[in-house]
Amino acid sequence: MAVEVVMPKLGMAMKEGSVSLWHKKEGDPVTKGEIIANIGSEKIETDLEAPADGVLLKIAVPEGEGVPPGTIIGYIGQPGEQVGTAAAGAAGAKPGENAAADAALPSDAAPAGGSAPAEAPAHGRDIKISPVARKMAEAAGLDIAKITGTGPQGRITKEDVEHAIANAASTPASAGEAAASSDSQASVGLTNSALAAAPSGFVEHAEQIPVAGIRKVIAARMHDSLQQSAQLTLTLRADVTDLLALQKRMSETAQKQHEVKLTVTDFIARAVVLSLKRHKQMNSAYIGDRIHVFDHVHLGIAVALDKGLVVPVIRHADQYSVLDLSRHIKALAQQARSGQLGSDALQGSTFTITNLGAYGIDYFTPILNTPEAGILGVGAVTDTPVYRGDELQRRSLLPLSLTFDHRVLDGAPAAEFLRAVKDALEDPYRLVL
């Protein structure tokens, strides 16, 4: 009997997941424990292992389509084993849907010519089509009632829409159709002016990537952050020459005695925590019509992954030393990159640090991780000639970019906080005492 492959629940807060990549095709042999797909949720990307030996009989949910946890996304069984019609109809269906009733209708029950059933409304609301495919069809101006679905029970998939778009592009259009298809042409990446200048019959093709998983959440949160807050960024440079010397000396000792390599990021985190304790208005959030000022610092550290950005949280960071912060930062970053972070580890931060110094970036404008009131962007250390008194010295300068919510606090208190971070970094022994 075929074994169901289901969408796992990656955390208590997970509402939807998608297959970022299928590593196997239908008919490919699989071994129990072998990675067969990459699964992405709102905040987590992880590998999905085969639950049994056999072959991948059916892929019920294509890449990029969002489905609730517990949804059947595929079947594994023995070569030649058939997946029942009812089971295939249920695969890819959301939990609670009456898939059995749908399965009673054969997939070839449509009238001759491939037209939609007579009872289907003109706008195709009852036509079986995946959310991704529907959006692609709407963007291309296609009538989904005229698309033949190849999925379970005739469901229209992303691939079906892609084929329909390709066929429409290769079919000469009448003058009336050409005028009606201007929106469809624009959807493949050409502006109206560019289309007017293009040679007759020329169509520019572009890859269309579904927005799903982590990227979908990042897109929504970043857009909402800019729309729902009043963001302003302040910048300055901190002289970290003495800090780098201290970090080098302490790192050697920490490596020998505690097997921990201290980095500049660890000291920056400590400087931020101490400054937040002195400037509590920055350790706050704008929620509803109230400003929530927090007693403890729950520090978010942005981690870049191949699929996007996640922000694991160090809870009660104000209770940790530089050495403790270093351990937590490294452990959370490792868990994030290996896909082992739970959704609970990505919630509840009161302030965030994001570091682009490894890419040679100086200043930038980080976007708030709302509802937080502040986020600190860290750039690349550069050696710069600086006058100290009458003497010109070579000093190491660190660019800092603070974005804050002007609804929560004004420029002066935000500047005072940023100056406090600078002062702490320039007097590094305060960070270890």
Side-chain angles (χ1 to χ4, degrees):
M1 183 176 178
V3 177
E4 298 173 350
V5 181
V6 301
M7 176 64 66
K9 189 173 182 65
L10 303 179
M12 294 299 295
M14 178 178 171
K15 297 180 180 179
E16 182 181 274
S18 64
V19 179
S20 305
L21 175 67
W22 280 105
H23 293 281
K24 298 290 185 178
K25 303 186 298 294
E26 291 185 358
D28 285 352
V30 299
T31 304
K32 184 177 181 180
E34 180 183 7
I35 296 174
I36 58 173
N38 294 129
I39 300 297
S41 71
E42 295 178 349
K43 295 183 177 181
I44 302 173
E45 188 85 14
T46 189
D47 296 328
L48 179 66
E49 298 179 352
D53 296 330
V55 298
L56 184 58
L57 297 174
K58 184 158 190 73
I59 293 177
V61 174
E63 295 175 1
E65 180 176 332
V67 295
T71 301
I72 300 171
I73 62 175
Y75 288 91
I76 293 176
Q78 297 306 310
E81 184 177 355
Q82 297 297 315
V83 178
T85 304
K94 297 180 179 179
E97 289 183 349
N98 190 356
D102 294 337
L105 178 65
S107 59
D108 57 354
S115 61
E119 65 273 18
H123 296 291
R125 284 174 293 182
D126 289 348
I127 295 176
K128 295 183 181 299
I129 181 172
S130 73
V132 172
R134 184 181 293 276
K135 291 179 181 179
M136 290 175 59
E138 290 175 352
L142 297 178
D143 183 356
I144 61 175
K146 296 181 180 180
I147 302 176
T148 301
T150 60
Q153 299 303 303
R155 191 182 200 198
I156 299 172
T157 66
K158 178 184 71 172
E159 289 75 15
D160 297 330
V161 176
E162 290 175 343
H163 291 156
I165 293 174
N167 291 336
S170 61
T171 302
S174 65
E177 291 173 334
S181 66
S182 61
D183 290 341
S184 173
Q185 290 174 316
S187 72
V188 295
L190 292 178
T191 62
N192 290 335
S193 59
L195 284 171
S200 176
F202 173 81
V203 177
E204 177 67 29
H205 293 280
E207 179 185 6
Q208 297 190 24
I209 302 174
V211 180
I214 293 178
R215 177 48 53 191
K216 182 177 181 179
V217 174
I218 292 174
R221 285 186 58 82
M222 294 299 97
H223 179 269
D224 291 346
S225 175
L226 290 172
Q227 294 294 319
Q228 299 174 6
S229 60
Q231 302 190 23
L232 178 65
T233 302
L234 305 178
T235 63
L236 55 66
R237 293 182 297 178
D239 187 336
V240 293
T241 307
D242 297 337
L243 172 61
L244 294 179
L246 176 63
Q247 177 258 335
K248 183 177 180 180
R249 289 196 300 271
M250 288 189 62
S251 184
E252 294 174 356
T253 302
Q255 188 81 43
K256 292 178 182 178
Q257 296 185 4
H258 305 282
E259 297 183 349
V260 175
K261 182 179 180 181
L262 294 176
T263 67
V264 174
T265 298
D266 304 331
F267 287 92
I268 294 173
R270 179 62 176 163
V272 166
V273 168
L274 292 178
S275 300
L276 287 172
K277 294 298 290 183
R278 290 177 52 197
H279 300 270
K280 295 192 178 219
Q281 197 174 2
M282 185 61 71
N283 191 45
S284 61
Y286 193 103
I287 303 174
D289 59 351
R290 296 178 180 273
I291 297 172
H292 296 242
V293 181
F294 303 106
D295 293 331
H296 295 284
V297 178
H298 305 305
L299 189 62
I301 303 292
V303 178
L305 307 177
D306 292 338
K307 296 292 184 178
L309 189 72
V310 295
V311 185
V313 182
I314 303 173
R315 303 196 183 281
H316 299 284
D318 48 311
Q319 299 179 4
Y320 296 137
S321 66
V322 171
L323 190 62
D324 293 330
L325 287 171
S326 180
R327 289 194 181 101
H328 279 82
I329 291 171
K330 291 172 177 58
L332 289 172
Q334 177 59 35
Q335 291 173 30
R337 295 188 178 103
S338 61
Q340 297 176 345
L341 274 180
S343 59
D344 293 342
L346 300 169
Q347 300 178 11
S349 56
T350 60
F351 189 90
T352 297
I353 297 175
T354 178
N355 193 333
L356 294 180
Y359 303 96
I361 300 299
D362 291 328
Y363 300 104
F364 57 106
T365 54
I367 298 176
L368 287 176
N369 184 21
T370 51
E372 296 171 19
I375 180 172
L376 181 68
V378 180
V381 175
T382 56
D383 288 340
T384 306
V386 177
Y387 273 104
R388 304 196 76 186
D390 294 333
E391 182 181 358
L392 186 62
Q393 298 182 5
R394 176 177 176 174
R395 309 292 294 181
S396 298
L397 302 183
L398 175 70
L400 300 172
S401 305
L402 173 70
T403 297
F404 67 96
D405 190 344
H406 217 314
R407 298 176 304 167
V408 176
L409 70 167
D410 298 325
E416 289 174 359
F417 166 78
L418 186 57
R419 183 57 187 255
V421 175
K422 172 184 179 335
D423 292 343
L425 293 174
E426 293 183 346
D427 187 10
Y429 288 95
R430 290 167 45 189
L431 305 177
V432 297
L433 296 178

